[in-house]
Amino acid sequence: MLNRLKNIGLMTLVVSALTIGGFSAANAAGASAYPLKKYDWPHAGPFGMFDKASLQRGLQVYKEVCASCHSLDMVAFRELKALGYNADEVKALAAEYEFPNGYDDEGEEKYRKGFPQDYFPAPYANEEEARDANNGAFPPDFSLLGKSREHLSLFTPWNSIYGEDYIVGILNTYHEDAPEGVELAEGMSYNEAFPGNQIAMAPPLFDDMVEYADGTPATTEQMAKDVATFMYWAAEPKMEVRKKMGLKVIIFMSILTIMLYFVNRRVWRKIKKGDDLA
Amino acid sequence: MTTKDQVEHEEGVTRRNFLYVATGAVGAVGAASVVWPLVDQMNPSADVLALASVEVDLTAIPEGQTLKILWRGKPIFIRHRTAAEIKTAVADNGATDLIDPEDDQARAERPEWLIMVGVCTHLGCVPLDQRGDFNAWFCPCHGSHYDISGRIRKGPAPRNLEVPKYAFLNDTTVKIG
Amino acid sequence: MGSSNYQPTNKAVKWFEDRLPILGLMHSTLGAGYLAPRNLNYWWNFGSLAGFMLVVQIITGVILVMHYTPHVDMAFRAVEHIMRDVNYGWLIRYTHSNGASMFFVVVYIHILRGMYFGSYKSPREVLWFLGLVIYLLMMATGFMGYVLPWGQMSFWGATVITNLFGAFDFYEGMGESILHLLWGGFAVDNPTLQRFFSLHYLLPFVIVGVVILHIWALHLPGSNNPLGIDAKGPGDKIPFHPYYTAKDLFGLSFFIVILAIFIFYMPNIMGHPDNYIEANPMVTPPHIVPEWYYLPFYTILKAVPDKLFGVIAMFASILIFFVLPWLDGSKVRSAKFRPTTAFFFWLFLINTLYLGYLGTKLPDEIMIDMAGGIDALTMGRISSIFYFAYFIVIVPLVSRMESTKPVPISIAQSVLDANKKG
């Protein structure tokens, strides 16, 4: 028995050492030096689900503020149902946009209103136009930003940087003037959370910039949190269904594991004791 | 007569069998539920399903014209019929050369709008507009003539041009599919 | 996989078996016909787990191919199409990406088990070789698979790793020619992506072939066991089925729970976030890190100041496993009876994990804050030297000089002794 316990202990040690060595390592790089404020996101953790009201507010901030520079290429209007809109509301949201629709008899481009199956249109026709309009910088697409800025560490969670915290950090830590001794390049702003502190994006959010339909005060921090939630949803739209299925799978497999443990013990009973040898 | 030993033995067997059968059953349920995602991934994906129905704005189609759109990978003909065409179509309901007899009223919910899948029922070619013996649709592949209701009148095609499922959302918008 | 004593009772089965004895083959491979030592511990579960992961990777991989497009303009978007639109696509892709990491975890434990209990020693050298071939094929497959999503780490990982082969620059332009051949162009680009896709699809089936040879080579001498002694008498062995099928199923079920935790609750923890940015040949990420399973070898590469010798050292660090059966001169297999060997084995494991950790560090990062600070490069060199010293000096000397503990006469005897003690 003692020997067996020792073996199990050893096994746990080796397995966890291997995993620690591997996984925490794979993510250690690239952290920002700025200590980001960690928020309690309602969608964090194994049971966390999206705050639908916040998602809708985030969509509003994206549409009214961010969308003038940032595309959202991979999200279709039909997916907005996940934000709590019904089919008619989704249709109306899509119809706010226009899409090229072939050419008329004079060879001029024709337009039609958007349908749920359309994707969010990009603000610029191409990267060159985007750079030209933004002082040479290219505003990144929003579809995957929520995931491509996070640096997760399984065994040193205190070093993990979550995409949402990073986005809020960027939006909240602009300084009007660079600290003394820091020379800002032409057209750059000073930002504490951004690696290198010089960011090409001018401060995008100001208090009361948008008017929320649900009456939530539109502080800069609130807008940043809402748009970060929205961006994380855009990056990981299947999160809710994933976590719900995960719970079922893990409960099911745990039961099966326990049953198989007893099956195994029953099968081995005589052999373990060495009864067949005596 | 059974001895105590035998009873114990048999109880042991039953208990053991129950454990084995129950575990096997649970395992089988697990295996079966793994199979479903592996099969379902072959079904049309969300972006494909989103295109399963299209809404068409009818204001852009003048009388006497046909709009062709692509729906579920096939051409759809939306014909804005003239009063004369409607008259001809209805009058031909009793024509003797109908291969697949059908009333025009059954083919067009609103007589001025004829909506059909533009695929010849013979071998799948796309018929041409305003051609053939009936100045309606004519399939160039094997010479099938359709009338202004899309009914097969002459040639090898066995059935009339298919009418898809559609619904008028209002006077100017139709939803196909 | 030898001759079978399988005797079907059903007439139809017997008719079929007479014409194609495949059930007999299964019976003697994984059924009651294969006699295995009775004392295998849970470390012996990892072989069947590796087989399971190979099947999972092939099934999910074949499915992913149904929705993926190997083209630089479409690959990144195709993966997101799988993640967003395909029914259960996110589940299949996360299983495949996390499955790759778990496959390596399982195989690493399987290899370490072989090292600790001396499973590479005579008469199982060819079995060990075939295992190493599988491991090398896995490394190639994993590397090429990571390129397919065409994210930033895909592209730059591919660039860095393929450039290693440019080190073989023995005459003017040779390195460059090798690179052009690998890339199908002058940099990692669409031709590279397409050939990696082709090979990533092919190699797993090659692995299946080698796995069959691996199992064949296992069944001739039979499984090693924790005592490392030959199983001789009938009391030493038990049929694989039902004993080890039950044990393997229990282990498998437990393992799936662990796998599920990763797939459903931390699916991106083993990947690099930069891989959710589409590949851009104009922008290098600030810090390129390979997948975790290559990290120890990556550190050895970085530790050598010369490009060619760095690459040679890196390949040597893996290929040296092939000569392990002859470096180890001990008559006793299991480290259970070789305390000094066991001690150095654990030291080797810790050192290799540390090498992996160093793989993520920039060369000038300070690892130990003393004597003015010792940086990652220096630590990497020390660790690399120990890594090779383990094989070249420690194993040959310790195995020949160590006085081993007494080995039981038979497996059956050790079971009886253990029971007597309670």
Side-chain angles (χ1 to χ4, degrees):
Chain A
M1 194 62 206
L2 205 69
N3 218 7
R4 201 149 137 226
L5 273 179
K6 205 179 88 190
N7 260 334
I8 292 170
L10 249 172
M11 186 173 301
T12 325
L13 202 81
V14 174
V15 174
S16 42
L18 260 176
T19 16
I20 292 172
F23 305 157
S24 64
N27 298 287
S32 135
Y34 176 77
L36 290 165
K37 185 171 170 191
K38 309 232 172 193
Y39 289 88
D40 265 338
W41 298 99
H43 56 269
F47 305 104
M49 295 291 153
F50 286 118
D51 173 357
K52 297 246 156 72
S54 177
L55 282 177
Q56 296 194 1
R57 292 195 299 267
L59 171 65
Q60 187 185 350
V61 174
Y62 170 70
K63 274 167 54 183
E64 293 179 16
V65 184
C66 321
S68 57
C69 299
H70 291 274
S71 56
L72 186 60
D73 279 348
M74 293 175 186
V75 179
F77 297 114
R78 60 184 154 84
E79 295 179 69
L80 295 176
K81 273 189 187 160
L83 272 54
Y85 296 112
N86 64 32
D88 287 332
E89 287 168 324
V90 168
K91 229 193 239 174
L93 277 163
E96 291 171 21
Y97 295 86
E98 280 205 323
F99 290 86
N101 188 27
Y103 301 91
D104 66 12
D105 296 341
E106 278 103 47
E108 295 292 319
E109 231 179 326
K110 286 197 295 183
Y111 287 90
R112 61 166 174 81
K113 65 181 171 55
F115 292 119
Q117 65 264 30
D118 289 314
Y119 290 77
F120 274 91
Y124 303 109
N126 46 54
E127 185 175 335
E128 285 69 19
E129 190 188 317
R131 284 190 190 278
D132 185 51
N134 289 285
N135 198 18
F138 180 52
D141 182 73
F142 267 18
S143 313
L144 286 163
L145 269 191
K147 277 199 287 193
S148 62
R149 294 298 184 275
E150 70 184 2
H151 290 264
L152 304 174
S153 173
L154 179 53
F155 293 94
T156 49
W158 54 92
N159 276 337
S160 288
I161 290 171
Y162 294 90
E164 306 93 302
D165 288 328
Y166 177 79
I167 292 165
V168 176
I170 292 286
L171 294 171
N172 264 325
T173 60
Y174 277 94
H175 285 221
E176 231 163 279
D177 301 300
E180 224 160 293
V182 178
E183 198 66 38
L184 282 184
E186 175 72 26
M188 302 295 258
S189 303
Y190 189 84
N191 187 298
E192 272 188 69
F194 194 70
N197 300 121
Q198 296 208 31
I199 190 166
M201 174 169 69
L205 295 177
F206 300 98
D207 288 352
D208 299 318
M209 211 175 178
V210 302
E211 199 177 321
Y212 283 137
D214 61 2
T216 308
T219 60
T220 303
E221 191 187 24
Q222 183 63 42
M223 287 188 285
K225 278 171 72 179
D226 290 338
V227 84
T229 307
F230 174 72
M231 285 164 74
Y232 190 75
W233 168 80
E236 191 72 7
K238 303 289 181 188
M239 184 205 77
E240 296 196 345
V241 64
R242 164 161 65 75
K243 286 179 180 173
K244 283 175 191 161
M245 189 191 288
L247 187 65
K248 283 186 223 157
V249 169
I250 286 167
I251 290 174
F252 181 90
M253 285 312 300
S254 305
I255 293 170
L256 183 60
T257 304
I258 292 166
M259 292 179 87
L260 280 166
Y261 170 78
F262 285 109
V263 166
N264 185 44
R265 215 172 62 160
R266 187 67 65 95
V267 167
W268 276 82
R269 196 168 51 181
K270 290 221 170 97
I271 299 288
K272 264 267 133 66
K273 283 195 238 155
D275 286 359
D276 59 322
L277 296 172
Chain B
M1 231 183 90
T2 50
T3 64
K4 190 173 162 249
D5 216 35
Q6 265 174 320
V7 171
E8 261 183 6
H9 180 70
E10 273 163 19
E11 267 179 5
V13 168
T14 335
R15 218 183 301 138
R16 188 176 65 206
N17 283 346
F18 173 73
L19 180 64
Y20 291 172
V21 170
T23 309
V26 173
V29 169
S33 27
V34 168
V35 171
W36 174 241
L38 303 183
V39 174
D40 189 39
Q41 52 83 21
M42 287 203 275
N43 272 318
S45 58
D47 56 326
V48 173
L49 284 178
L51 298 173
S53 66
V54 292
E55 286 176 23
V56 183
D57 179 14
L58 299 172
T59 52
I61 314 170
E63 224 180 7
Q65 295 271 317
T66 303
L67 176 76
K68 274 194 215 173
I69 58 158
L70 203 65
W71 172 74
R72 296 190 182 177
K74 288 180 223 158
I76 294 286
F77 296 159
I78 305 174
R79 172 100 182 152
H80 193 172
R81 296 194 295 190
T82 62
E85 285 172 345
I86 298 168
K87 222 172 126 192
T88 317
V90 175
D92 281 356
N93 278 350
T96 51
D97 56 352
L98 285 177
I99 294 165
D100 178 15
E102 209 177 350
D103 282 357
D104 184 61
Q105 290 88 329
R107 295 180 55 79
E109 189 186 315
R110 297 187 181 185
E112 65 271 32
W113 296 110
L114 178 66
I115 300 169
M116 304 182 299
V117 177
V119 175
C120 181
T121 54
H122 181 220
L123 289 171
C125 297
V126 178
L128 301 168
D129 202 23
Q130 288 176 317
R131 301 275 175 89
D133 290 3
F134 303 90
N135 193 31
W137 286 278
F138 170 70
C139 181
C141 292
H142 305 93
S144 293
H145 300 259
Y146 297 89
D147 68 10
I148 196 64
S149 188
R151 292 172 295 207
I152 179 68
R153 299 287 283 270
K154 191 176 154 194
R159 277 172 291 106
N160 302 332
L161 290 176
E162 188 199 336
V163 176
K165 206 181 104 193
Y166 63 86
F168 286 91
L169 299 178
N170 53 49
D171 281 348
T172 58
T173 316
V174 67
K175 184 183 172 190
I176 300 170
Chain C
M1 282 201 193
S3 59
S4 172
N5 56 356
Y6 179 64
Q7 293 295 340
T9 44
N10 182 301
K11 263 200 179 140
V13 175
K14 190 177 179 328
W15 176 89
F16 185 84
E17 188 66 12
D18 287 344
R19 283 148 186 85
L20 183 68
I22 194 159
L23 291 170
L25 185 70
M26 296 299 296
H27 175 84
S28 60
T29 310
L30 298 165
Y34 177 52
L35 296 177
R38 59 184 297 146
N39 59 337
L40 302 185
N41 57 32
Y42 277 105
W43 294 113
W44 263 261
N45 275 49
F46 287 87
S48 70
L49 288 181
F52 171 76
M53 280 320 300
L54 178 60
V55 173
V56 167
Q57 291 305 90
I58 288 178
I59 291 174
T60 52
V62 166
I63 286 173
L64 289 172
V65 172
M66 294 183 192
H67 306 282
Y68 171 80
T69 313
H71 188 284
V72 290
D73 293 335
M74 290 178 267
F76 189 74
R77 192 71 194 239
V79 172
E80 281 306 310
H81 163 67
I82 293 168
M83 294 295 291
R84 289 158 192 268
D85 295 329
V86 173
N87 303 317
Y88 298 104
W90 59 270
L91 173 62
I92 292 157
R93 191 211 161 206
Y94 276 155
T95 305
H96 197 74
S97 61
N98 287 283
S101 279
M102 295 312 276
F103 194 4
F104 272 99
V105 169
V106 165
V107 163
Y108 277 132
I109 293 171
H110 190 61
I111 294 173
L112 288 166
R113 186 271 283 155
M115 283 176 77
Y116 186 85
F117 294 107
S119 302
Y120 51 83
K121 291 171 73 66
S122 173
R124 297 184 182 83
E125 298 95 327
V126 173
L127 174 62
W128 177 251
F129 288 174
L130 291 166
L132 291 173
V133 170
I134 293 170
Y135 172 59
L136 290 172
L137 287 168
M138 278 175 65
M139 300 252 274
T141 310
F143 161 65
M144 288 189 276
Y146 196 60
V147 176
L148 302 185
W150 208 241
Q152 273 289 65
M153 266 316 144
S154 302
F155 180 87
W156 292 102
T159 301
V160 169
I161 302 292
T162 48
N163 264 308
L164 294 179
F165 294 91
F168 299 110
D169 203 16
F170 298 128
Y171 60 82
E172 183 67 28
M174 179 179 167
E176 208 176 329
S177 314
I178 294 174
L179 290 178
H180 291 175
L181 182 79
L182 286 178
W183 292 331
F186 305 106
V188 174
D189 206 337
N190 198 51
T192 327
L193 176 61
Q194 282 186 283
R195 66 192 55 185
F196 279 15
F197 173 68
S198 168
L199 292 172
H200 182 72
Y201 205 147
L202 168 72
L203 289 186
F205 297 99
V206 178
I207 294 178
V208 170
V210 185
V211 165
I212 290 171
L213 295 179
H214 188 66
I215 297 172
W216 190 4
L218 168 72
H219 281 63
L220 288 180
S223 302
N224 185 28
N225 65 82
L227 298 174
I229 53 177
D230 290 331
K232 292 181 217 100
D236 291 347
K237 290 186 176 189
I238 49 174
F240 192 84
H241 179 75
Y243 298 105
Y244 288 111
T245 37
K247 195 170 181 175
D248 279 355
L249 281 174
F250 165 58
L252 175 63
S253 188
F254 183 78
F255 171 75
I256 291 174
V257 176
I258 308 288
L259 180 63
I261 291 172
F262 279 97
I263 293 171
F264 292 104
Y265 293 109
M266 33 186 147
N268 290 310
I269 204 145
M270 293 182 247
H272 199 287
D274 277 5
N275 230 23
Y276 283 111
I277 303 171
E278 190 167 4
N280 183 352
M282 308 289 281
V283 181
T284 309
H287 190 171
I288 301 174
V289 188
E291 286 282 76
W292 67 268
Y293 33 84
Y294 306 117
L295 287 171
F297 314 112
Y298 190 54
T299 306
I300 291 173
L301 170 80
K302 290 192 290 185
V304 182
D306 179 84
K307 187 175 175 184
L308 176 62
F309 284 103
V311 174
I312 290 173
M314 187 187 70
F315 284 119
S317 66
I318 303 166
L319 296 178
I320 202 161
F321 279 88
F322 278 95
V323 284
L324 189 58
W326 292 277
L327 296 175
D328 179 352
S330 174
K331 295 235 168 2
V332 177
R333 289 197 193 98
S334 175
K336 239 183 171 156
F337 308 106
R338 303 157 66 187
T340 320
T341 297
F343 171 77
F344 280 110
F345 168 83
W346 292 113
L347 215 55
F348 169 78
L349 175 60
I350 292 164
N351 182 63
T352 308
L353 289 172
Y354 188 61
L355 276 172
Y357 177 67
L358 288 171
T360 68
K361 297 288 166 194
L362 292 168
D364 53 3
E365 267 180 80
I366 300 300
M367 300 307 299
I368 297 176
D369 203 9
M370 55 178 247
I374 303 172
D375 59 19
L377 182 64
T378 315
M379 289 313 293
R381 285 181 179 157
I382 296 170
S383 272
S384 300
I385 289 168
F386 178 80
Y387 182 96
F388 284 107
Y390 175 78
F391 286 100
I392 298 168
V393 183
I394 296 172
V395 168
L397 288 184
V398 168
S399 64
R400 284 170 178 84
M401 293 162 71
E402 180 180 22
S403 54
T404 55
K405 289 202 269 187
V407 175
I409 32 171
S410 79
I411 295 170
Q413 195 53 48
S414 82
V415 173
L416 291 173
D417 289 349
N419 286 334
K420 229 179 279 164
K421 276 187 223 150

